[in-house]
Amino acid sequence: MPSATHPSKNGRHVTLSDRWQESVPVDGTVELPPDRRALDGLGRNHSLRTALADLVDNAIDAEASHVLIRFIRKQGRLRGLYVVDNGKGMTAEAINVAMTLGGRREYAEKDLGSFGIGLKAASFSNARLVTVLSCAADHAPVGRRLEADPNKRGFHCDIVAEAFAMSELSRRWSIPWSGTGTIVRWDDVFGFPATDDPTRVEEFISRSMTEIINHLGLTLHRIIEKGLIEIALDVEDVDQDIVGPRSRVEAIDPFGYARTGKADYPKDLVARHGNLTVVFKCHIWPPRSRMLEFNLTTGAEKHQGLFFYRRGRLLQAGGSWDGVSVSARERQLARVEVDIDGLPPRLLAMNPEKSRVQVGPDFSSLAASAMAEDGTKFVDYLRDAEERFRESRKRLRARKSMIPPGRGFAPQLKRVIRNEIPMQDHQEPITMRWTRFDRAHRDDFFRVDRANRVLWLNERFRPLPKNGRRGSNDAALLKSLLYLLMEQAFTGEYLGARDRDNIELWQEILTMAAKVDVGE
C-alpha cells in the first residue's frame, strides 16, 4: 500500500505509512508531574503486617539493633501507630529523599530496600497521615509529614518543628538508645476499629499482634536467628499514661524441624544460568508435624513449594511451585529454599511489597535441569516427598491407637506423640506425677493407679535436670519411655496375668537401673 501525506496542526505535511517502523521519532519532551492522587494508590497490595515488615526492613538497613511497634489508644479507641528504631538515623537531606515518591538512596549490597517507594507504600496503604522523625549523629533532629489528600495539589511535604521531633524521639520507648534513630508515626489509620468498645478493641489488638508477630518472625527469621535485630510490640494508653506488657518477635524457621522427614535430605540441587549458580535446597518435613514452623498458621499444605530469600529476608513462603510443578496434597512435606541474590530480574524479580517473587519464562526449565551430587533431580525429589507422605499415612493407619498423654508431659512431647500415634481421645489421659513413696514401697520405681489413670513415680529416683530446676513436665525422655511401656496397663477393665507379670518385670529392672544411677 503506498504512503500518504497528512497535514499536521503546524501546517506541515507528515508522511504516513502502514508499515511497522523500528524506531519512534520524537519532537521534544514535556514534564508531566504525578497527580497527588497517586499516593492513594500506593501499597494497595499491602496488609498491616506486610506494611510493618517493610518499615522494619528500613530499620535493619539503618543498622538498628532494636525496633518497637507501638499501638496508641486514647479514650478507649486506637488512634495511631509508631515504628521506632535505634538505627543511624537520617539527616535533613536524607529524610527529604526518603519522603520523595520514588526517591532512591544509594543501596548497599546487603540492604533490603530496592524501589524507593517502601516507606510511602507501606504507610499510605494503612494511614492518611505519615510523619517521619529522625536524628543522625552530629545532626539536629528532623521531621517531615505527608498527607494522602487528593484535594491537595503537588507533592509538598510538611517540615515538622525541630522541638516536636526532639520531644517524640526522647519519649519513653524503652529500647537501647544512643541518640540516633528514626520514628515512623501513622495517624488516621484506616483499619483500626471505629469504636471504643473495650472487647472489640482488645480483640483487634490481640489478633493484629499475633498476625504481626508471626509474619515478622517468619519473614525475618534468618536475621532474627543471627541476633541482628530484636523486635517488640506494645500498647500505650495515653489517658492512663501506661504502657502494656511487651511482646517479642521470635524467629519462625519454616525449615526448623528437629529430624528430617527422609534420610539424605535436605539436598542441594544445583543449576547453571550463564555464569551464575542457582541452588535449590530441597527439604522433606517429617509428616504430621504440629509445629508452628510447619503449619505457619494457615496449614502446611498451603506452604508447600518454593521459599525465596533475598539478602536473608523471606519474600515468598511457599504456596506455589511457580511452574516447576503443581500443588498437591501429597507434596505438602516438600519445601525448597532458593536465594535470589545476584540473579537477574528477567529470571527472578520481587514485587515492591516484598511478598512475592515473579519468575521469568526460563525459570521452570532451569529448575528442571538442577541436579544434586548423587544425581537426584527435581522430579526425583518430588517423588521422594510424595512417597514419604504416603508411607506416613499407611503407617498411621496400621498403628494401634493409644490413650493420650496428659499432665506431666511437656507440651512439645505431647505434640510429637500425637503426631506419631493415633489417639483414643474419648479416653481420660494418662497423668505422670512424682511423689514420695511410703516405707513399704520405698524401693519401687513406679506405682500404677488405674482408677485415677495416674502413673506415680518415686521421688527418690527423680533425675536432676542440667539447669538444676525441676518442674512438673521434667524428665521428658524417661516419661516418654514409660508411656510407651506402660500405656497398655491402663487399658481394659482389669489387668490380665500377662500384664501383671510384665509390670513386675519392669518394676524390678527399672528400680535396679535407678539405684545404679543414684549410686546405691
Side-chain angles (χ1 to χ4, degrees):
M1 183 178 291
S3 301
T5 61
H6 187 80
S8 65
K9 289 185 177 180
N10 59 17
R12 291 182 301 171
H13 281 76
V14 179
T15 301
L16 305 179
S17 173
D18 63 353
R19 293 184 178 182
W20 177 81
Q21 299 182 61
E22 184 171 354
S23 60
V24 178
V26 297
D27 285 335
T29 62
V30 58
E31 184 176 358
L32 300 174
D35 191 283
R36 192 176 183 86
R37 285 175 295 180
L39 293 176
D40 188 47
L42 279 178
R44 285 300 177 92
N45 292 322
H46 264 310
S47 62
L48 176 61
R49 58 182 180 270
T50 63
L52 290 174
D54 219 330
L55 298 186
V56 174
D57 289 343
N58 291 343
I60 293 171
D61 287 349
E63 301 174 8
S65 65
H66 289 72
V67 175
L68 172 66
I69 298 170
R70 174 170 289 179
F71 291 84
I72 299 295
R73 181 161 50 193
K74 181 177 175 62
Q75 296 178 341
R77 296 182 61 171
L78 289 176
R79 299 287 299 275
L81 185 142
Y82 284 86
V83 178
V84 185
D85 74 66
N86 64 350
K88 58 188 178 184
M90 291 181 283
T91 63
E93 180 182 359
I95 201 171
N96 285 340
V97 173
M99 299 300 277
T100 300
L101 186 62
R104 292 173 61 89
R105 58 179 170 83
E106 291 296 322
Y107 291 102
E109 185 177 348
K110 63 180 178 59
D111 283 354
L112 302 178
S114 179
F115 295 101
I117 64 171
L119 169 63
K120 284 76 65 180
S123 298
F124 288 116
S125 66
N126 284 274
R128 188 176 65 85
L129 280 165
V130 56
T131 304
V132 180
L133 312 158
S134 193
C135 186
D138 302 322
H139 287 79
V142 292
R144 300 289 185 268
R145 185 183 71 167
L146 274 174
E147 180 180 6
D149 185 351
N151 296 318
K152 287 188 174 183
R153 304 183 64 84
F155 275 81
H156 301 289
C157 183
D158 296 325
I159 300 174
V160 177
E162 181 181 327
F164 179 80
M166 173 62 80
S167 67
E168 287 279 82
L169 289 162
S170 302
R171 293 185 65 211
R172 296 172 296 172
W173 302 115
S174 299
I175 63 174
W177 195 264
S178 60
T180 65
T182 298
I183 293 174
V184 178
R185 170 176 166 164
W186 292 351
D187 292 289
D188 289 353
V189 181
F190 308 134
F192 284 174
T195 178
D196 58 1
D197 177 64
T199 300
R200 289 180 58 188
V201 172
E202 287 297 335
E203 286 177 352
F204 176 86
I205 291 173
S206 177
R207 183 179 68 252
S208 298
M209 280 193 166
T210 299
E211 291 176 352
I212 294 165
I213 287 170
N214 287 341
H215 182 74
L216 294 178
L218 175 62
T219 57
L220 300 172
H221 75 91
R222 287 186 178 179
I223 298 169
I224 295 171
E225 286 165 352
K226 291 179 180 178
L228 299 178
I229 194 73
E230 288 189 15
I231 309 166
L233 295 85
D234 63 24
V235 181
E236 178 182 351
D237 191 306
V238 175
D239 300 313
Q240 301 183 48
D241 193 27
I242 59 173
V243 176
R246 185 161 289 187
S247 300
R248 182 176 172 179
V249 176
E250 303 289 349
I252 301 175
D253 184 356
F255 305 95
Y257 46 78
R259 177 173 52 91
T260 182
K262 191 173 182 64
D264 299 328
Y265 281 93
K267 290 183 181 181
D268 287 350
L269 275 59
V270 180
R272 307 288 178 186
H273 182 77
N275 296 326
L276 299 173
T277 299
V278 183
V279 178
F280 299 85
K281 194 175 188 67
C282 300
H283 298 255
I284 298 179
W285 260 83
R288 301 184 306 280
S289 175
R290 298 198 180 194
M291 295 174 64
L292 174 60
E293 289 83 353
F294 182 51
N295 291 283
L296 300 177
T297 72
T298 55
E301 189 170 333
K302 295 182 179 180
H303 289 279
Q304 62 180 276
L306 303 175
F307 285 66
F308 291 108
Y309 291 82
R310 175 179 175 270
R311 298 171 185 175
R313 201 253 204 213
L314 179 60
L315 302 176
Q316 178 175 309
S320 171
W321 289 99
D322 291 286
V324 177
S325 181
V326 294
S327 295
R329 180 169 176 264
E330 294 77 14
R331 295 184 184 137
Q332 63 183 267
L333 305 180
R335 293 180 179 177
V336 181
E337 291 181 83
V338 184
D339 286 277
I340 71 170
D341 300 295
L343 299 181
R346 66 180 180 276
L347 184 65
L348 291 163
M350 70 175 180
N351 66 356
E353 293 80 18
K354 303 177 196 167
S355 61
R356 191 74 185 167
V357 168
Q358 182 68 43
V359 302
D362 297 332
F363 179 76
S364 58
S365 58
L366 181 74
S369 70
M371 183 183 297
E373 290 184 354
D374 63 1
T376 300
K377 302 193 76 173
F378 228 103
V379 63
D380 305 313
Y381 159 63
L382 293 174
R383 184 171 58 247
D384 287 344
E386 293 167 8
E387 288 178 356
R388 182 67 186 95
F389 175 79
R390 286 191 288 266
E391 287 171 5
S392 71
R393 306 308 297 173
K394 290 178 182 177
R395 194 171 69 184
L396 183 63
R397 288 192 295 269
R399 283 179 176 162
K400 175 182 173 293
S401 62
M402 296 175 66
I403 300 171
R407 288 176 297 174
F409 293 80
Q412 57 267 43
L413 177 57
K414 286 196 283 190
R415 283 197 297 269
V416 171
I417 291 173
R418 284 183 166 275
N419 286 344
E420 297 295 333
I421 302 170
M423 291 286 105
Q424 300 174 16
D425 284 319
H426 61 283
Q427 296 274 18
E428 188 73 20
I430 296 172
T431 296
M432 287 197 189
R433 296 178 62 182
W434 297 98
T435 190
R436 289 187 179 276
F437 284 15
D438 57 32
R439 185 177 296 275
H441 299 91
R442 180 177 182 274
D443 288 337
D444 289 348
F445 188 81
F446 62 84
R447 189 170 71 247
V448 178
D449 181 355
R450 283 170 51 85
N452 296 301
R453 199 154 285 180
V454 178
L455 185 65
W456 294 99
L457 306 178
N458 193 339
E459 182 79 32
R460 175 186 172 194
F461 301 123
R462 189 174 189 176
L464 183 67
K466 288 183 179 179
N467 60 12
R469 296 192 300 271
R470 288 170 171 159
S472 59
N473 296 335
D474 63 354
L477 177 60
L478 172 64
K479 288 178 178 177
S480 62
L481 293 173
L482 284 171
Y483 170 78
L484 296 173
L485 194 66
M486 300 293 295
E487 183 269 346
Q488 63 187 28
F490 293 90
T491 62
E493 296 181 4
Y494 61 89
L495 286 174
R498 183 175 179 180
D499 291 326
R500 290 195 298 271
D501 184 61
N502 281 337
I503 289 174
E504 290 178 10
L505 173 64
W506 298 330
Q507 185 79 269
E508 188 72 25
I509 293 174
L510 290 171
T511 299
M512 180 54 66
K515 286 183 176 181
V516 170
D517 281 346
V518 297
E520 293 187 6

